[in-house]
């Protein structure tokens, strides 16, 4: 009866379609990432009944533990972890029932009392081990982040170094001139890739991802772009940088040629460049300066 209601026509069906179109691709990507071992082709995709014989058929036991923990935290907010653990173990293992059937019940309880200090010491040692592993995991994550940041900086430094060698090409005339100076076709391709990488990763110039591609798929095979195709992509970026206005009225220097000085091996050299865009948030500072 209720499942029939799910497939009946409704006024919100059009909205459901849109919601599912957004949710299902994200859900599929999550499942592929989190449960790849259990999907077709994964190492656990064809498990036998023998392999799963020891696996719990339900989660009733952990749910009971969580329920007990929640109850104790609400009724005894100052309870220690060790006491809470002991209480839950005593209840779920039916220790009281077991003791009532033992002839030397009083002796067992007395021995347990004598072992309290030892158990507390073991618990503290366990906590220290857990804390040490947590700190180790955090340090490992910090090391990974530092390594990623180091690689990112190295990549930007290399791209900046390559750009310093070839120079930033800011007009079609300059592109043609620089390519004519390079005799090797392979080096021409590399010079154009340098222009594309620098504008994407350093300038972060917004454009279609296809413009930054170095290859394309032809008949199911990936083929490297030719010099002319790479050149067309660079010219597209140059045109877009010159024609794209800022959200506000662009500064009067945008689109103008300026001279700027660099220190090259301690020697001062002047270069002519073109202002291709305005940094957002910098306009008020420029106007105050003027």
């Amino acid at each position: 009866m209720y499942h029939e209601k799910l497939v009946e026509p409704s006024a919100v069906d059009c909205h459901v379609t849109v919601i599912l179109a957004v949710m299902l691709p994200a859900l599929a990507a999550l499942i592929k990432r989190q449960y790849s071992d259990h999907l077709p082709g994964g190492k656990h995709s064809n498990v036998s009944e023998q392999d799963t014989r020891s696996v719990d058929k339900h989660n009733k036991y952990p749910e009971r533990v969580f329920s007990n923990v929640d109850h104790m935290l609400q009724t005894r907010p100052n309870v220690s972890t060790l006491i809470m653990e002991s209480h839950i173990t005593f209840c779920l293992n039916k220790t009281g029932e077991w003791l009532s059937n033992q002839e030397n019940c009083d002796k067992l309880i007395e021995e347990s009392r004598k072992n309290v200090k030892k158990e507390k010491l073991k618990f503290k040692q366990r906590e220290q081990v857990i804390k040490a592993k947590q700190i180790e995991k955090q340090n490992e994550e910090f090391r990974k982040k530092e390594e990623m940041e180091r690689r990112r900086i190295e990549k930007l430094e290399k791209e900046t170094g390559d750009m310093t060698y070839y120079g930033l090409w800011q007009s079609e005339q300059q592109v043609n001139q620089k390519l004519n100076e390079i005799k090797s076709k392979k080096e021409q391709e590399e010079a154009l890739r340098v222009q594309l990488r620098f504008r994407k990763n350093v300038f972060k110039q917004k454009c279609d991802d296809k413009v930054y591609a170095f290859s394309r798929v032809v008949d199911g095979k990936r083929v490297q772009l030719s010099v002319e195709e790479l050149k067309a992509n660079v010219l597209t970026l140059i045109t877009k940088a010159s024609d794209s206005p800022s959200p506000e009225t662009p500064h009067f220097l945008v689109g103008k040629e300026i001279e700027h000085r660099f220190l090259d091996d301690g020697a001062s050299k002047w270069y002519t460049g073109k202002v291709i865009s305005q940094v957002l948030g910098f306009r008020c500072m420029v106007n105050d300066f003027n």
Side-chain angles (χ1 to χ4, degrees), residues 226-242:
S226 64
V227 172
E228 290 302 321
E229 290 171 324
L230 292 171
K231 176 183 173 181
N233 289 342
V234 172
L235 293 178
T236 298
L237 291 172
I238 292 174
T239 303
K240 185 176 178 61
S242 300

Side-chain angles (χ1 to χ4, degrees), residues 44 63 170 205 215 280:
H44 299 312
E63 288 297 334
Q170 302 183 70
Q205 187 175 344
S215 61
L280 297 181

Side-chain angles (χ1 to χ4, degrees), residues 104-244:
N104 55 345
C105 176
D106 294 338
K107 183 179 179 181
L108 290 174
I109 294 176
E110 185 63 27
E111 289 178 354
S112 298
R113 286 174 178 169
K114 292 178 180 179
N115 290 329
V116 168
K117 290 184 178 180
K118 293 182 180 179
E119 292 300 323
K120 286 185 177 180
L121 180 61
K122 288 181 182 179
F123 181 76
K124 288 183 178 179
Q125 291 173 345
R126 233 170 64 203
E127 279 189 322
Q128 291 173 356
V129 171
I130 293 173
K131 187 175 181 180
K133 289 184 177 180
Q134 289 176 339
I135 293 175
E136 182 181 354
K137 185 177 180 181
Q138 289 178 352
N139 291 336
E140 181 63 25
E141 290 177 355
F142 289 148
R143 284 193 292 268
K144 287 181 180 179
K145 289 181 180 179
E146 289 176 353
E147 179 65 17
M148 289 176 62
E149 180 65 12
R150 184 186 65 79
R151 290 179 181 178
R152 186 187 71 83
I153 294 174
E154 283 184 353
K155 181 180 177 182
L156 293 179
E157 287 178 347
K158 182 181 182 304
E159 291 174 356
T160 304
D162 293 339
M163 179 56 65
T164 303
Y165 178 76
Y166 289 106
L168 179 62
W169 303 347
Q170 302 183 70
S171 66
E172 182 176 0
Q173 179 183 358
Q174 194 174 13
V175 171
N176 293 329
Q177 177 187 344
K178 295 294 184 181
L179 288 177
N180 289 333
E181 293 175 359
I182 302 173
K183 303 303 180 184
S184 169
K185 180 181 177 181
K186 186 175 182 180
E187 189 176 353
Q188 287 179 345
E189 293 174 351
E190 179 58 25
L192 290 166
R193 292 192 189 102
V194 167
Q195 301 295 318
L196 294 172
R197 281 195 293 261
F198 192 82
R199 287 179 176 272
K200 178 182 180 180
N201 299 326
V202 181
F203 276 177
K204 298 189 181 301
Q205 187 175 344
K206 301 296 183 182
C207 198
D208 190 343
D209 289 341
K210 293 181 179 179
V211 176
Y212 290 111
F214 297 157
S215 61
R216 58 188 175 91
V217 178
V218 179
D219 297 332
K221 296 182 179 179
R222 185 157 292 280
V223 179
Q224 297 296 319
L225 297 184
S226 64
V227 172
E228 290 302 321
E229 290 171 324
L230 292 171
K231 176 183 173 181
N233 289 342
V234 172
L235 293 178
T236 298
L237 291 172
I238 292 174
T239 303
K240 185 176 178 61
S242 300
D243 296 343
S244 297

